[in-house]
Amino acid sequence: MKTFYKTLMLGVFMAALAVVSPTFAQDVCEDFEANAALYEKFTKDFRGEINKETLAARKSAVAAAEEYVKKYEKCGDFAPQVTYLKKNGPELNTRIKAFEEYVIQQERYERFDKAVKAENTAEIFASGEEILKYEPEFIDVRLVMASVGLDEAADKQNDTFNNKTIDHAKTAIQKLEGGAKSEKFGAFDFVYNTRENAIGWMTYTIGYIEYYRQKKEESGLSYLYKATQVNSDVKDRAFIYTEIGDKYIAQADKLRQETVAIIKENNKETFESKSKLALSKGYVDRAIEAYAKGYEVAKADMNKETKADVKAQKKEYVDSLFDTLKNLYRFRFETDDKPMNNDAELVKQLNSHIASVARKPLASPTSEVKPVDPPSEEENTSEDTSTSSTTTTIPAKATTNGSTNKANSKPKKR
């Protein structure tokens, strides 16, 4: 019984094999109908631009090309088609990947644009930094972020983004000096138009935040000074020069007070008091130079103003700068032998002096200040008991008002 069953099953299996064996034996290279259908599928989905609507069809063409090459690569009759698809299939796939990357890139741009228009600073930094992960040379994005960060610090007194702002500004300067290219050097409300202007503003951004917000006065003042040395809009900001001048005034007045104290203690001038006074005058020379530049810039700005009320406000500021310069000039040049009692003559001398020093390059606040006519070593043993009226004159600072807005960071406000 078992033998009969096995024999019967073997017969059935052989019969079935006889039925299907012609299909297995068919040569793929002879299957012209399937070949034509697959090639037609490729050509149908291959042509035309790639966009969101045609993306699926183009991917179908790539799949058809890959299948065709794999199936018919060894078929001599189909060699031209195989060669063609080996070239055009991968090329199409490369174009598809480029399009998909472009779509993702545009999504990043749209996120950034939306954040800027909504004035969402946190999102501006997040989306901008996402762009820079893939496009670190995209200088316009970095310029926008640094500009927004400056506005947060200057206009809103928000220090949340200070460190990031400084980092982006420093990187922007490095890349700009290295030749980074841009059409407008910025975007939205933060367009700087030229490489030099962008460098000047980024330098100013670092200086402003460090000096006013982070209280890194030496470093911050150095950056503010550097900003005035670049051919940019920043060099037309009077308060930078007066801020530098105020630092010199503070040091000069400290030395003046020490001079007075020494004279009172000794009831006469000494080598030490003369040395301090000479150095004090050196600081006043620097203060005059800085204030003279600030005065010229502020006066030019006032003269361009067309609105009467604004012009009056700016004139008040210009006049306060001139008053400070008068005090400084008196301290620097007035002596017992040459008192400056004639105000008209003083103004004449001062205007001439301002015109002279304002044309000269401004010394770096980090450079050494040298004393004016210091006493000689021979005077160290002198018993001179005379005193100088200049030691009792205090250089006064200019008063500022609303027309000297120190923030004013956006290029559109210039």
Side-chain angles (χ1 to χ4, degrees):
M1 187 69 178
K2 290 182 180 180
T3 302
F4 175 76
Y5 178 76
K6 287 181 178 180
T7 303
L8 178 61
M9 291 304 296
L10 179 61
V12 172
F13 174 75
M14 293 302 291
L17 184 61
V19 172
V20 301
S21 60
T23 302
F24 289 133
Q26 184 178 358
D27 186 353
V28 70
C29 295
E30 300 296 327
D31 191 355
F32 295 101
E33 185 177 343
N35 178 284
L38 188 56
Y39 191 80
E40 183 182 357
K41 179 174 178 57
F42 170 81
T43 57
K44 176 185 175 184
D45 293 337
F46 170 69
R47 301 195 181 282
E49 66 175 335
I50 302 174
N51 53 46
K52 291 182 179 180
E53 288 72 28
T54 64
L55 184 59
R58 302 297 172 266
K59 286 186 174 182
S60 174
V62 170
E66 291 174 348
E67 182 183 353
Y68 190 100
V69 170
K70 183 178 180 181
K71 186 178 288 187
Y72 301 111
E73 190 171 16
K74 295 181 180 179
C75 300
D77 290 342
F78 304 135
Q81 292 92 326
V82 168
T83 300
Y84 176 77
L85 293 179
K86 270 188 173 182
K87 176 179 181 294
N88 287 277
E91 285 183 356
L92 176 58
N93 194 41
T94 298
R95 288 169 52 209
I96 288 172
K97 288 183 178 179
F99 172 75
E100 290 177 328
E101 289 175 2
Y102 170 78
V103 170
I104 295 172
Q105 180 191 62
Q106 293 305 305
E107 289 174 352
R108 290 195 293 265
Y109 292 169
E110 288 171 10
R111 178 188 174 193
F112 184 68
D113 291 355
K114 184 178 178 181
V116 173
K117 290 172 182 176
E119 299 184 0
N120 184 339
T121 302
E123 178 65 2
I124 290 171
F125 275 89
S127 58
E129 287 166 358
E130 180 69 13
I131 291 172
L132 292 176
K133 276 170 50 179
Y134 299 92
E135 300 175 77
E137 302 305 315
F138 199 161
I139 193 67
D140 293 341
V141 171
R142 210 176 287 276
L143 290 173
V144 169
M145 285 195 292
S147 302
V148 169
L150 175 60
D151 279 354
E152 286 292 323
D155 295 344
K156 302 176 184 177
Q157 287 74 57
N158 178 10
D159 298 321
T160 304
F161 306 97
N162 283 351
N163 290 332
K164 286 191 174 194
T165 299
I166 288 173
D167 287 344
H168 286 303
K170 286 182 177 180
T171 303
I173 292 170
Q174 181 183 20
K175 291 187 178 296
L176 287 165
E177 290 178 341
K181 299 184 184 306
S182 173
E183 183 179 343
K184 295 182 178 179
F185 293 97
F188 303 102
D189 290 335
F190 311 98
V191 174
Y192 298 99
N193 294 312
T194 69
R195 184 183 309 277
E196 292 75 16
N197 197 35
I199 291 173
W201 274 89
M202 292 300 101
T203 307
Y204 167 81
T205 294
I206 299 167
Y208 184 95
I209 291 176
E210 286 195 347
Y211 188 81
Y212 291 105
R213 305 306 303 172
Q214 297 181 332
K215 306 306 177 185
K216 298 177 181 178
E217 294 190 354
E218 185 175 347
S219 174
L221 201 63
S222 177
Y223 273 106
L224 288 174
Y225 164 78
K226 288 177 183 177
T228 68
Q229 304 305 295
V230 182
N231 186 22
S232 74
D233 301 328
V234 175
K235 67 180 183 180
D236 293 331
R237 303 173 93 66
F239 83 86
I240 297 178
Y241 301 102
T242 60
E243 201 71 64
I244 293 171
D246 287 346
K247 288 300 174 184
Y248 291 134
I249 290 174
Q251 187 59 33
D253 194 49
K254 178 174 178 292
L255 289 164
R256 182 200 63 79
Q257 292 180 43
E258 292 173 357
T259 301
V260 172
I262 292 170
I263 292 172
K264 285 183 177 180
E265 182 180 351
N266 293 274
N267 200 30
K268 65 178 182 179
E269 285 188 315
T270 67
F271 178 79
E272 185 182 8
S273 71
K274 290 179 179 180
S275 297
K276 285 185 178 292
L277 180 60
L279 185 56
S280 176
K281 289 189 175 184
Y283 276 99
V284 168
D285 265 348
R286 288 283 189 90
I288 291 173
E289 291 172 7
Y291 259 83
K293 286 188 177 293
Y295 171 76
E296 290 293 322
V297 167
K299 186 168 66 172
D301 181 55
M302 176 193 70
N303 290 335
K304 289 187 295 185
E305 185 57 58
T306 57
K307 295 181 179 178
D309 57 336
V310 178
K311 190 163 189 169
Q313 188 182 45
K314 289 184 176 182
K315 184 179 185 304
E316 182 182 347
Y317 178 55
V318 169
D319 290 345
S320 73
L321 295 180
F322 193 79
D323 287 342
T324 298
L325 281 164
K326 284 172 68 175
N327 289 335
L328 292 170
Y329 190 80
R330 244 197 202 99
F331 179 85
R332 169 66 178 85
F333 293 104
E334 186 175 50
T335 64
D336 288 335
D337 297 335
K338 295 181 179 179
M340 295 183 176
N341 298 323
N342 188 325
D343 194 64
E345 180 61 27
L346 171 60
V347 169
K348 180 180 177 181
Q349 291 180 28
L350 178 57
N351 280 327
S352 176
H353 191 70
I354 290 172
S356 174
V357 300
R359 288 194 295 267
K360 297 177 182 178
L362 184 65
S364 169
T366 60
S367 62
E368 180 185 4
V369 176
K370 295 182 178 180
V372 175
D373 298 327
S376 64
E377 287 298 326
E378 289 77 11
E379 293 182 74
N380 200 0
T381 57
S382 171
E383 294 298 323
D384 186 5
T385 59
S386 62
T387 60
S388 171
S389 61
T390 57
T391 60
T392 61
T393 304
I394 302 175
K397 299 180 183 180
T399 57
T400 60
N401 53 43
S403 64
T404 60
N405 181 7
K406 294 176 181 177
N408 205 12
S409 54
K410 293 182 182 177
K412 70 176 183 180
K413 294 183 181 177
R414 289 198 302 260

